[in-house]
Amino acid sequence: MDKNEIDGYILQSKKLLFRTLNCCESQIIPFQNAHCIDNDELLKAVTGLAGGMYNRGSTCGVVFGGAINMAMEKYNESENWNSGVELSLLQ
């Protein structure tokens, strides 16, 4: 991914933040676009994280969005994981 693409996703995130007022969604949507992931259920699930856990002002949704993005990336990597290679190291 080149610098222009990254800048485009950053701009998209900023626009989403001011449009949706949901920090978590503003992190997840550009990540999904960058990695060609289409998961509407996830977006519905994080809607309640706006305003810091149901508008209670706790941990910002950017933190949750970033954590969810990292989890999605690791999950995508695990689908290509060949457990046989790691198991052969134990023998």
Side-chain angles (χ1 to χ4, degrees):
M1 188 176 309
D2 67 14
K3 185 179 177 347
N4 288 335
E5 286 178 301
I6 293 170
D7 289 344
Y9 291 122
I10 291 170
L11 181 61
Q12 181 185 25
S13 181
K14 289 178 182 179
K15 286 180 179 179
L16 282 165
L17 177 60
F18 290 108
R19 191 184 82 212
T20 66
L21 298 177
N22 188 325
C23 300
C24 193
E25 285 182 11
S26 74
Q27 295 292 306
I28 291 175
I29 292 170
F31 180 85
Q32 286 190 1
N33 290 340
H35 295 280
C36 300
I37 299 170
D38 186 24
N39 191 336
D40 290 334
E41 291 81 20
L42 177 62
L43 291 176
K44 290 176 188 174
V46 301
T47 308
L49 298 176
M53 294 299 269
Y54 296 102
N55 251 350
R56 302 253 186 237
S58 62
T59 305
C60 179
V62 170
V63 176
F64 289 111
I68 292 169
N69 285 340
M70 288 190 299
M72 286 186 348
E73 190 170 9
K74 291 298 176 189
Y75 176 76
N76 286 340
E77 289 174 7
S78 72
E79 289 183 339
N80 299 323
W81 177 55
N82 180 356
S83 60
V85 174
E86 281 75 10
L87 292 174
S88 67
L89 295 174
L90 300 174
Q91 297 174 352

